[in-house]
Amino acid sequence: MIEARGLTKRFGEKTAVDDVTFTVRPGHVTGFLGPNGAGKSTTMRMILGLDRPTAGTVTVAGVRYSGLGTPLREVGALLDAKAMHGGRTAHNHLLLLARSNGIPARRVDEVLDLVGLRSVARKHARGFSMGMGQRLGIAAALLGDPAVLMFDEPVNGLDPEGILWIRTLMRSLAAEGRTVFVSSHLMSEMAQTAEHLVVIGRGRILADTSVREFIAANATSHVRVRSPQLGELGPLLARRDWRVEVDPDGSLRVYGADPAAVGDVAADHGVRLHELSPVQPSLEEAFMRLTGDTVEYHAGGRPVPPAPEAGPVSTAREGGAPPAAPPPPEASSPDLPPTAPDGTWRGGDA
Ligand SMILES: Nc1ncnc2c1ncn2[C@@H]1O[C@H](COP(=O)(O)OP(=O)(O)OP(=O)(O)O)[C@@H](O)[C@H]1O
């Protein structure tokens, strides 16, 4: 268990972590999400005693990191896989760590086996690929067989096989009853790995909830519709109590309706459909919606799709408007009547 209470870190004028309180529980993978600069690494560094909190406390198994006699036996962490001594062999690197934490030398071979590095155990780590470096970092984290594990961006730079391996490993470590806390920018990956989320933005907790509840609270399902007669169909759908948006590829998103109801409207008016499919919201969509106005570093890219006006938003939201609506379709098809500036249809008069 990791417990942060009122945890705060200021670097001069900059408040990197701002009065953060959360608990990471054993038995499932907890994802730690936030835009760049949100305060994830600083929080993890404070958990590991690498940064001293300006205020508040954080404990592992009820004890501050500095109070842990043999820390590797309590908490294993992968913060920066490149931070190891490249001049040592993988075996020696782990052996030194084991000795300084009172861990028997035989455990080195066990973890090398576990991460698949046994065959390169006597090679210098400086010659390792990114994936091998990550595996060695994970071997170090597992060395003391700790009940608490933390991984900062563990799948960074890994190939699909490596990503799958880490996902399976994290889930099995959690299934053994360990506390697994992992940060990542890869939403699709987190959606498959984590059951619980702690979301941070500009140093503050934005959400602390299950993945399922997080998606339900911050994004809404819709029906995707493609038709060669969108010019007729769009206004017909918009006359209902549904919100209809046009995607850049010319398909429609219908919020508030189920596919059967949309299909019935089309059939009643003799409109042909080429696609009618329910779309479940993704973790990425929910994350972008919740954190959109906490992002510190923006690229000039396409804004996130909006959820319906009446759609639920997280009660943990710090305030401020949801992210901007998408622009109208770039190239208007002859079959598409004009849309409103927010990309929605104005029903009733087309
Ligand atoms: N040693 C430091 N000195 C000054 N500012 C710092 C220091 N470390 C972090 N910061 C600032 O604190 C904020 C939080 O940084 P942090 O690295 O914790 O964010 P993060 O969520 O891990 O970001 P990323 O996803 O980009 O890794 C940022 O604005 C960062 O510039």
Side-chain angles (χ1 to χ4, degrees), residues 11 14 16 34-43 153 185 296-297:
F11 295 105
K14 174 82 193 175
N36 286 131
K40 303 180 296 295
S41 298
T42 305
T43 301
E153 298 285 349
H185 289 116
E296 222 168 328
Y297 311 106

Side-chain angles (χ1 to χ4, degrees), residues 137-200:
I138 289 169
L142 297 174
L143 200 55
D145 199 17
V148 177
L149 286 145
M150 294 201 334
F151 303 102
D152 194 6
E153 298 285 349
V155 299
N156 248 1
L158 292 189
D159 59 19
E161 193 266 333
I163 290 174
L164 177 62
W165 176 75
I166 288 202
R167 184 194 308 154
T168 310
L169 176 75
M170 286 193 295
R171 292 186 67 107
S172 61
L173 290 167
E176 289 167 11
R178 297 176 211 259
T179 300
V180 181
F181 193 40
V182 52
S183 80
S184 180
H185 289 116
L186 297 178
M187 295 298 134
S188 57
E189 186 49 39
M190 273 294 100
Q192 293 183 72
T193 311
E195 277 172 56
H196 197 90
L197 296 178
V198 173
V199 184
I200 189 170

